[in-house]
C-alpha cells in the first residue's frame, strides 16, 4: 500500500492520562487496518499574547508549550515505531476542536480516536466540550474512550457520519 493509500487514524492528545488510553486503543485499530497514527497536540490559541489584552500571558508561553509537546510526542512516536507502527507528530495552535477537525480533513483521516474524562456538572453547565464538538462535526467516524473519575474506563462511540 502506498503512502497515499494508507489509512489514517488521528489521535488528538493532551498528554494527560486520557492520552495513553486513546493511544492504546488507536494502536489496536492501526494494527488491524494497517494504518498510520497521526498524533495531534493543540496548544490553545488563548495562550497567544494579544495587543488588546491588558493582562497578556507570559510572552512566548505558546512556543514553549509547543516545543515541550513535540518533545513528549516524539517519545510516543519512537515507542510506536519500536512496535512497527507508523506514526507522525503534529503540533498546532488554535481552538482545539477547530484544529482537530481541520487536521482530520487535511490528513483525510479515516478515524478519530479520542480520550476524554467524565464531565462533572459544572463542565456540562459551561457548554460543549472539545470532544462533543468533534463528535458532532467530524466528517469521519469518531470513537471516544472515556476515563471515569474513579479510574474505570467506559467506552463510548461517537457519531459515524452517513
Amino acid at each position: 500500500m502506498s503512502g497515499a493509500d494508507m489509512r489514517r487514524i488521528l489521535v488528538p492528545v493532551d498528554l494527560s492520562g486520557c492520552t495513553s488510553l486513546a493511544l492504546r486503543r488507536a494502536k489496536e485499530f492501526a494494527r488491524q487496518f494497517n494504518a498510520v497514527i497521526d498524533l495531534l497536540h493543540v496548544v490553545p490559541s488563548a495562550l497567544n499574547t494579544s495587543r488588546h489584552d491588558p493582562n497578556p500571558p507570559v510572552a512566548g508561553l505558546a512556543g514553549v508549550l509547543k516545543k515541550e509537546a513535540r518533545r513528549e510526542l516524539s517519545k510516543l512516536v519512537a515507542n510506536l515505531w519500536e512496535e512497527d507502527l507508523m506514526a507522525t507528530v503534529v503540533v498546532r495552535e488554535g481552538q482545539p476542536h477547530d484544529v482537530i477537525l481541520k487536521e482530520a480533513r487535511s490528513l483525510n483521516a479515516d478515524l478519530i480516536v479520542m480520550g476524554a474524562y467524565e464531565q462533572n456538572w459544572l463542565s456540562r453547565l459551561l457548554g460543549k466540550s472539545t470532544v462533543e464538538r468533534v463528535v458532532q462535526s467530524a466528517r469521519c467516524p469518531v470513537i471516544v474512550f472515556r476515563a471515569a473519575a474513579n479510574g474505570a474506563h467506559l467506552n463510548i462511540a461517537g457519531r459515524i457520519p452517513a
Side-chain angles (χ1 to χ4, degrees):
M1 204 178 253
S2 71
D5 297 332
M6 294 296 298
R7 295 183 186 274
R8 301 193 82 100
I9 300 171
L10 180 62
V11 183
V13 295
D14 62 3
L15 301 173
S16 70
C18 286
T19 294
S20 60
L21 175 61
L23 190 53
R24 188 175 26 201
R25 301 303 185 157
K27 289 189 316 188
E28 295 168 12
F29 289 119
R31 283 188 184 96
Q32 184 175 356
F33 298 107
N34 193 32
V36 175
I37 297 174
D38 297 293
L39 298 175
L40 170 65
H41 180 76
V42 181
V43 174
S45 56
L47 296 176
N48 267 341
T49 302
S50 167
R51 64 175 185 237
H52 304 293
D53 188 350
N55 298 308
V58 177
L61 181 59
V64 170
L65 292 174
K66 284 184 196 176
K67 183 178 178 181
E68 186 64 21
R70 279 190 189 91
R71 189 175 65 76
E72 290 300 316
L73 292 177
S74 294
K75 292 178 192 176
L76 293 175
V77 166
N79 290 336
L80 292 170
W81 290 345
E82 286 176 9
E83 295 181 42
D84 290 327
L85 292 168
M86 292 178 282
T88 68
V89 169
V90 180
V91 178
R92 299 279 187 259
E93 188 175 333
Q95 290 296 326
H97 65 277
D98 289 334
V99 174
I100 293 167
L101 294 167
K102 181 180 176 184
E103 285 300 317
R105 285 190 298 273
S106 174
L107 294 167
N108 197 25
D110 296 287
L111 177 66
I112 299 172
V113 176
M114 299 179 75
Y117 286 105
E118 190 175 314
Q119 282 190 302
N120 62 29
W121 66 271
L122 181 59
S123 298
R124 288 189 292 276
L125 180 67
L126 293 175
K128 292 182 182 175
S129 69
T130 297
V131 171
E132 289 172 309
R133 291 173 187 215
V134 170
V135 167
Q136 290 176 351
S137 301
R139 294 181 182 171
C140 64
V142 179
I143 298 177
V144 179
F145 294 95
R146 190 172 301 278
N150 65 4
H153 300 295
L154 307 169
N155 297 341
I156 62 168
R159 182 178 67 85
I160 298 177

